[in-house]
Amino acid sequence: MRRLPAAVLVGAAAELAGVGLTATAVWLVMRAAEQPLMSALTVAVVAVRTLALARGGLRYAERLTGHDAVLRAMAELRGKVYDALLRRPLRGGDALTRLVSDVDAVQDAVLRCALPAGVAAVVGTTVLIATGAPAPLLAGTLLAGVVLPALAFGLANRRLRALAPLRAELTEHVVALREGEVELTAFGALDHALDRAGDLVDDLAARERDHAATALAGLAVAVQFGTGVLLLVNGEPAHVVLGAVAALEVFVPLTTAARRWAEHRGSVTRVRETLAAPPAEPPPPLLLPTARRVGVVGPSGAGKSTLLHAIAAANPGRAKGLLDDAHVFRRPVRDNVRLADPDAGQPRLDEVARVADLDVPWDAGPELSGGERQRLLLARALLADPEVLLLDEPVEGLATRHGDRVLRAVLAAARGQVVLVTHRLAPLRDFDEIIVVEEGRVTQRGTHDELSRTPGHYRDRWTAECP
Amino acid sequence: MRHVDRRYAVALGVLAAVTAVLVPVQAELLASVLSGAGGVVPLLGVVVARAAWVWVGQVVAQREAAKVKAALRKRVLRDATGTPGEVATLAVKGLDAVEPYLAGYLPQLAVAAAVPVAVLVRLSFADWGSALVIALTLPLVPVFAALVGVHTRERTRAQWAAMASLGGHFLDVVRGLGTLKLFGRAAAQARTVRLMSHAHAAETMRALRVAFLSALVLELVATLSVALVAVPVGLRLLDGGVTLHVALLVLLLAPEAYLPLRAAGAQFHASAEGLAVLEQALATTPRTTTTTRRRPPDPRTSPIVFEAVEVRYPDRAEPALSGFHLTVAPGERVALVGPSGAGKSTALAVLLGAVPPTAGRVLVGGVDLREVDRAEWLRHLAWVPQRPTLFPGTVGENIALGTPGADVVGAARAVGLGDLVHARHALSSGERQRVAVARALARTDARLLLLDEPTSRLDGRTEEIVLRATRGRPALVVAHRPALLGEVDRVVEFR
């Protein structure tokens, strides 16, 4: 943010050149009407031409310095946010997406709120000093520069607060409509649900009308020109009157900026909080199962994936593999696999691809089918060749038989310990130990032969899979 | 512009026309006052009128924006395709962007068309030399803007793509943070994030230097024209060639010719996103609902026959269901078992008409299911999905979904939810499942129950309650749990 003050100064200079141009031109005309000698006007003529050129050039410079300052500051901010996330991870795709758009909102807030406000402050102060602050101008400046933006901010805040629950309700309805579309259709309730959401839309539209904001726009015009008229009545010279009206133009964007600031405030706060968040607690020590091949089963949402994450967190550098949040980066396939071992040569890459049955070209982009994606992740996990290989539903998205075959090859290639989460039980028959997780707790453990004889989740699933 | 309602276009025209009268009148009166001819009171009147007119314009524009937004929201609700999250974002937040376009840019565009003309007309009566200068320079603004625009379009587009890819890259890295950490690559990426952002900033600035040229031209033309007009007028005043009133009028009106163009240019950038969203929303094609055809046979008396049914989803290579044969006799209870992904739920979806078979057909009483009226057919069915959706509203309203006047309390009690009928809070997955069962039970007219693992999230005791409630009714049951298998006439195995 170090370059921002420079951008503010250049912007203020551009605006002041415009104000100066108006004032000088008016002075020139008024003085010329008194029919003095030509020489009395020379300076003014030169000033008008110079200011006209300066105004355009400075405005251009302002936009460049402003954008340059903000873009550099944002580059730094992205880096800091990344560091903060490294110290304290944020789980959940939605939260991350929101954080990234929050960072973009900060950029907008600086460029369109902070920068215009700074420029307006410098211009307002300079003009007041230059004119000796006549009372109408002082009042007009305070009204246009402080009171109206403050009002706009307060009103926007109130409106956002009032609309938030309605908007949240509408979002909830839209999501339910889409997610439950088949259900609604099956129960003949789709039209009714659409009507209900439509009522909400109408309700929102009625409340979104912002009468106060429309009035503010009219008031801003009244203040700008009203100040001019008052200055006239006050007996100020013409160039001061019209210069003042031109200067008050600088405050016009401030009401919009104030409204925008009300919208971005939450984003700015969230980014600030992310940056200030203390590092996450170190993970509690976790007793790793000792058997060489461990299977983890249980109903969805029971905590199997969480168990794998806990193992990974407790054994950094030792336990690697394919977890449920495994990410395919928007990079070529080769880079995505090589992530696990940047020094790996082509023969080694080809070897893991063969085991994982990954048959897409190495230079292919990341637009993969579900099955290809899964095999890419498996190849990556194999390339890491960890002491403990973690696999969370590794062949999901592959046809059953194909999946079984790939999984067999991967298990055969794994040299260390393996922990496998799976909903399909067939691959677990020769595992050394199987852990059943239900509602976040381990409820059963044993080999396949033991568990398939004991009543419980495992036996139920087994009979369903192979009745 | 084709998105604009005709009445709104007319309103904008009227608003702009009145503004185009008020601006020269205000300049005229101000010139009178400054040249000592008096007239402060009328000037004050015009200022008040201008402020009031701005207010009226805002009210009209906002009303239109709200109206269009509501209409688009309803359209998106009904027709938009995409994930639930995407549709919700477009419908709620995305469509906000049409406001700057409709209520900001378009009114300004109308003003930019009307006011310069009015200014030129007035000036050509007062001082045709100045009018000529403005008439010659004014077209330079759009011409130069277009020239710079054409020159930079490719670069700007590439730049927007880069901007999107940078935002995308950051999101990509942040989303993959777990993976990076797992493989010990997170620290190395911290440097990449900064390097990429800085490289991008430098590249963006290179493009902006050219892109902002149009703004530079605009400013220069506007300010230089004022200089071009003011200096000669001033010099002519010296020898009495013009009156002070005319000189002031020229000076006051000249900038007013350029001002609306500058404002429209500024609004254009702010509203570009709105136009894109507007086009996205209007691109949704209305869903066609075919209301043909014959009344479906009653499944209580007609057998249901799956004949070599195959289902392929566009995004999957393997068929979800293939060569599936099954005959369900009237009144029969049949269990479907087999490993996950074998197509059991897909078979139910086909019967619900939610998924069309890509090969084969389903016959009800000898009639192809595709030929019967779907809404009528669905009236015969009561479905318990594997992952039921809970709709906004109370548990009771969820149970009564599509069966107005149903015995909600009775159905809720039957599955042990009697106390929760008026609840609105979040439910556990087991409770949701029981709500779905109650919803199916409330459809007392339904001839066939389609139960997709109705007890997978229930404990043994609750499972027994649910089983008792559905016992004896004709049903197709997708089952994993042995308790369910004892409740059916026949078990069909999927592989």
Side-chain angles (χ1 to χ4, degrees), chain B residues 142-367:
Chain B
V143 167
F144 266 95
L147 275 180
V148 175
V150 168
H151 180 71
T152 53
R153 186 180 301 147
E154 283 313 309
R155 284 188 75 168
T156 319
R157 195 173 293 158
Q159 205 49 46
W160 279 114
M163 189 95 92
S165 88
L166 174 78
H169 171 260
F170 186 50
L171 183 60
D172 194 37
V173 169
V174 163
R175 280 215 168 131
L177 203 57
T179 301
L180 292 171
K181 248 183 166 166
L182 187 66
F183 291 105
R185 309 284 308 150
Q189 276 292 324
R191 238 172 66 83
T192 314
V193 166
R194 285 185 169 82
L195 280 179
M196 263 194 83
S197 283
H198 276 293
H200 172 267
E203 199 178 315
T204 307
M205 286 314 297
R206 270 197 295 282
L208 286 181
R209 252 167 238 143
V210 184
F212 285 160
L213 275 180
S214 68
L216 173 65
V217 169
L218 228 164
E219 294 285 344
L220 276 181
V221 168
T223 50
L224 282 178
S225 308
V226 173
L228 276 178
V229 167
V231 173
V233 161
L235 297 180
R236 274 156 62 203
L237 261 177
L238 274 182
D239 52 30
V242 287
T243 62
L244 177 61
H245 178 84
V246 168
L248 280 170
L249 187 66
V250 168
L251 196 58
L252 291 172
L253 275 182
E256 295 286 357
Y258 302 94
L259 193 65
L261 278 173
R262 281 168 53 193
Q267 294 267 10
F268 176 72
H269 291 290
S271 68
E273 186 196 349
L275 190 60
V277 171
L278 193 66
E279 274 166 0
Q280 189 189 349
L282 288 173
T284 55
T285 43
R287 297 192 188 195
T288 45
T289 42
T290 39
T291 50
T292 43
R293 312 173 291 198
R294 35 202 308 191
R295 287 184 71 80
D298 189 335
R300 257 187 319 198
T301 53
S302 321
I304 297 168
V305 183
F306 288 80
E307 267 187 11
V309 173
E310 182 203 74
V311 174
R312 283 177 183 276
Y313 292 110
D315 53 341
R316 267 200 267 163
E318 304 270 333
L321 186 67
S322 72
F324 178 60
H325 288 272
L326 174 70
T327 303
V328 183
E332 203 180 7
R333 285 172 67 84
V334 178
L336 311 177
V337 300
S340 305
K344 305 182 295 289
S345 299
T346 305
L348 295 193
V350 169
L351 199 55
L352 285 162
V355 176
T358 39
R361 55 183 186 164
V362 180
L363 300 170
V364 183
V367 182

Side-chain angles (χ1 to χ4, degrees), chain A residues 34-48:
Chain A
E34 294 163 8
Q35 304 197 322
L37 286 175
M38 174 69 186
S39 59
L41 300 180
T42 344
V43 176
V45 168
V46 173
V48 164

Side-chain angles (χ1 to χ4, degrees), chain A residues 29 52 55 60 63 82-83 86 97 167 178 181 183 187 202 204 208 210 214 225 327 330 380, chain B residues 26 55 62 69 73-74 77 80 96 172 175 179 186 194 209 215 223 237 262 287 389 439:
Chain A
V29 166
R55 155 89 186 162
Y60 181 65
R63 298 189 73 173
Y82 181 85
D83 294 342
L86 210 53
T97 309
R167 289 169 72 95
R178 276 282 160 272
E181 196 178 351
E183 271 167 275
F187 282 84
D202 289 334
L204 190 62
E208 265 178 347
D210 194 350
T214 56
F225 293 112
H327 185 75
R330 297 204 307 202
R380 181 198 278 171
Chain B
Q26 183 183 326
W55 179 54
Q62 253 204 10
K69 216 157 78 174
R73 278 192 172 135
K74 286 182 190 173
L77 276 180
D96 280 342
D172 194 37
R175 280 215 168 131
T179 301
R194 285 185 169 82
R209 252 167 238 143
T223 50
L237 261 177
R262 281 168 53 193
R287 297 192 188 195
T389 312
R439 191 164 71 192

Side-chain angles (χ1 to χ4, degrees), chain A residues 130-365:
Chain A
T131 55
L137 183 57
L138 189 62
T141 303
L142 285 178
L143 273 174
V146 181
V147 177
L148 290 184
L151 271 175
F153 175 72
L155 287 167
N157 251 340
R158 214 182 63 183
R159 184 160 168 266
L160 287 176
R161 261 205 308 275
L163 290 178
L166 215 52
R167 289 169 72 95
E169 201 182 334
L170 182 61
T171 305
E172 194 191 354
H173 271 83
V174 179
V175 170
L177 256 172
R178 276 282 160 272
E179 273 179 353
E181 196 178 351
V182 181
E183 271 167 275
L184 288 168
T185 312
F187 282 84
L190 186 61
D191 285 331
H192 177 67
L194 277 170
D195 287 346
R196 270 186 62 181
D199 291 344
L200 259 179
V201 167
D202 289 334
D203 203 7
L204 190 62
R207 288 202 222 173
E208 265 178 347
R209 274 185 214 150
D210 194 350
H211 302 289
T214 56
L216 279 187
L219 269 180
V221 173
V223 167
Q224 191 190 357
F225 293 112
T227 305
V229 175
L230 284 181
L231 283 169
L232 266 180
V233 174
N234 218 19
E236 297 290 338
H239 65 272
V240 171
V241 174
L242 291 175
V245 171
L248 289 177
E249 186 87 33
V250 181
F251 300 117
V252 170
L254 287 194
T255 28
T256 319
R259 230 170 272 146
R260 206 180 277 275
W261 175 247
E263 282 166 25
H264 289 330
R265 216 164 45 126
S267 297
V268 175
T269 315
R270 278 194 293 273
V271 170
R272 211 174 267 159
E273 277 167 4
T274 306
L275 292 181
E281 304 267 315
L286 185 89
L287 230 54
L288 199 64
T290 47
R292 202 179 90 75
R293 282 180 172 187
V294 183
V296 181
V297 297
S300 51
K304 307 183 294 275
S305 299
T306 315
L307 179 67
L308 245 56
H309 276 286
I311 295 176
N315 300 278
R318 285 185 59 217
K320 302 176 185 178
L322 192 175
L323 297 185
D324 64 334
D325 64 351
H327 185 75
V328 174
F329 292 91
R330 297 204 307 202
R331 310 272 310 152
V333 168
R334 183 197 308 275
D335 295 6
N336 264 299
V337 173
R338 216 182 224 163
L339 173 77
D341 178 7
D343 305 325
Q346 193 58 45
R348 176 79 180 120
L349 284 176
D350 288 334
E351 186 192 332
V352 293
R354 191 179 42 74
V355 175
D357 198 23
L358 180 65
D359 47 8
V360 290
W362 284 110
D363 298 321

Side-chain angles (χ1 to χ4, degrees), chain A residues 3-71:
Chain A
R3 290 164 190 249
L4 220 50
V8 168
L9 285 183
V10 177
E15 296 297 340
L16 286 172
V19 173
L21 173 63
T22 307
T24 323
V26 172
W27 183 87
L28 172 69
V29 166
M30 296 301 281
R31 182 81 181 93
E34 294 163 8
Q35 304 197 322
L37 286 175
M38 174 69 186
S39 59
L41 300 180
T42 344
V43 176
V45 168
V46 173
V48 164
R49 289 179 179 151
T50 313
L51 286 170
L53 272 175
R55 155 89 186 162
L58 284 169
R59 186 89 178 95
Y60 181 65
E62 179 215 0
R63 298 189 73 173
L64 286 185
T65 45
H67 278 79
D68 188 44
V70 171
L71 285 171

